[in-house]
Amino acid sequence: MSNIEQNIDNQNLVNNWQQVSKQLTDACNHVGRKSESVVLLAVSKTKPADMIATLAKQGQSHFGENYLQEAIEKITMLKEQPECDGIFWHYIGSIQRNKTRDIAEHFDWVQTVERDIIAKRLNDQRPAEMSPLNVLIQLNIDNEESKSGCLPDQLPELIATIKGYERLQLRGLMIIPAQADTNAFARTKQLFEEIKQRYPELSGWDTLSMGMSGDMTEAIASGSTMVRVGTAIFGERD
Ligand SMILES: *Cc1c(COP(=O)(O)O)cnc(C)c1O
C-alpha cells in the first residue's frame, strides 16, 4: 500500500471510531446516563497492529481479541510503542484448557470464563508481579445448546467459587444473546443487580459487557457498561 492509500485508510478508521464514540455518547444522553459510564471495547480480531496503534494514539484504550496466537503477536509488537503503553487487553475468545497460561500472562481482562476448571487455572497461572486478572463470566442467557457460557442455573455456584480466587478480580457478566431474544439485555441487567445485592463482598462487581456493532444503543439503554464493537470501527472482517 502506498503512503497516500495508508493515510486515507487511517482517516477512515479514525472517522469510524469517532462515529461509534458519538453513537455511544448519544445513546447515553438519550437515557440520561453519563458517557463515562460505558466503556468502548474496540474488537480488533483479524485486524493489523498498526490499526490498533492508530486508535491508541487517538485515545482508545480498551481492545478485544479472540485468537490467542494472533493476539500475543500484536500485544508483543505494540508493547514497544510508547503510545500503546496504556492499552488494556481483553480476551473475548473461547478458552481451551491448555491456553490458560498464555491468557493469564498477556491479558488484563478475560470476558469468557464459563467453568471453574478454567477459572482455577487462570488464578494459578496469573504471574505474581501482575495485578489480579479482571474476569467476566460469560453467561448463556438463552440456554442455547450451541452456545458457550455458563447456564443461568449454574451461575451462583460459579460466582461463589471464583470470588475466593485471589489472583482473579470478578468484575461482572458478559453475554452474546440470541438474535430473536429482544429482552435478554433487560434480564441480564436484572440478574447483574441481584448478584450485586446478594454478594456485597464482591467489591469489583461493576461491569456488564453487552452490545456489539448492531445493537449497542439498545444495550446501553438497558444498562450495559461495556460495548464490544468490531465491524463498525474496523470494517468487515474477511
Ligand atoms: C467479534 C466479536 C464482537 C464484535 O462484533 P461486531 O459485530 O463486529 O461488532 C463482540 N463480541 C465478541 C465476543 C466477538 O467475538
Side-chain angles (χ1 to χ4, degrees), residues 73-184:
E73 279 170 26
K74 290 191 264 186
I75 292 170
T76 309
M77 196 185 305
L78 291 173
K79 247 197 206 142
E80 320 263 304
Q81 304 192 17
E83 67 271 18
C84 296
D85 216 29
I87 291 181
F88 297 99
W89 294 101
H90 295 239
Y91 187 73
I92 60 172
S94 60
I95 308 176
Q96 286 166 310
R97 202 191 282 218
N98 61 349
K99 297 291 166 56
T100 49
R101 184 178 298 280
D102 274 338
I103 295 171
E105 289 179 351
H106 289 93
F107 285 83
D108 303 289
W109 289 70
V110 48
Q111 301 205 3
T112 43
V113 172
E114 55 176 2
R115 297 182 285 157
D116 177 37
I117 175 75
I118 297 294
K120 180 170 191 321
R121 290 176 65 94
L122 290 169
N123 181 63
D124 292 347
Q125 293 167 343
R126 181 67 167 174
E129 70 277 11
M130 294 175 86
S131 52
L133 180 61
N134 295 294
V135 165
L136 302 181
I137 295 175
Q138 183 177 354
L139 179 66
N140 186 352
I141 184 69
D142 297 300
N143 283 288
E144 291 176 289
E145 264 186 42
S146 61
K147 238 188 220 150
S148 29
C150 172
L151 294 171
D153 278 355
Q154 296 162 357
L155 189 58
E157 196 182 330
L158 187 57
I159 290 172
T161 310
I162 294 181
K163 79 186 170 72
Y165 290 151
E166 291 195 344
R167 303 296 297 141
L168 304 182
Q169 167 88 296
L170 185 56
R171 300 290 296 264
L173 301 174
M174 182 276 242
I175 60 161
I176 309 173
Q179 211 142 42
D181 185 358
T182 52
N183 151 43

Side-chain angles (χ1 to χ4, degrees), residues 43 45 66 92-93 112 174 176 211-214 228-232 235 237:
V43 177
K45 62 185 173 207
N66 295 57
I92 60 172
T112 43
M174 182 276 242
I176 309 173
M212 316 203 294
S213 291
R228 309 179 306 269
V229 181
T231 312
R237 292 176 291 270

Side-chain angles (χ1 to χ4, degrees), residues 166-218:
E166 291 195 344
R167 303 296 297 141
L168 304 182
Q169 167 88 296
L170 185 56
R171 300 290 296 264
L173 301 174
M174 182 276 242
I175 60 161
I176 309 173
Q179 211 142 42
D181 185 358
T182 52
N183 151 43
F185 292 149
R187 291 200 323 279
T188 309
K189 166 70 171 171
Q190 166 108 28
L191 200 55
F192 177 78
E193 294 299 334
E194 281 169 15
I195 293 163
K196 192 191 262 183
Q197 296 290 317
R198 178 164 161 193
Y199 303 99
E201 69 276 25
L202 276 180
S203 54
W205 187 262
D206 61 2
T207 303
L208 185 49
S209 171
M210 56 187 196
M212 316 203 294
S213 291
D215 56 9
M216 60 178 276
T217 297
E218 294 83 348

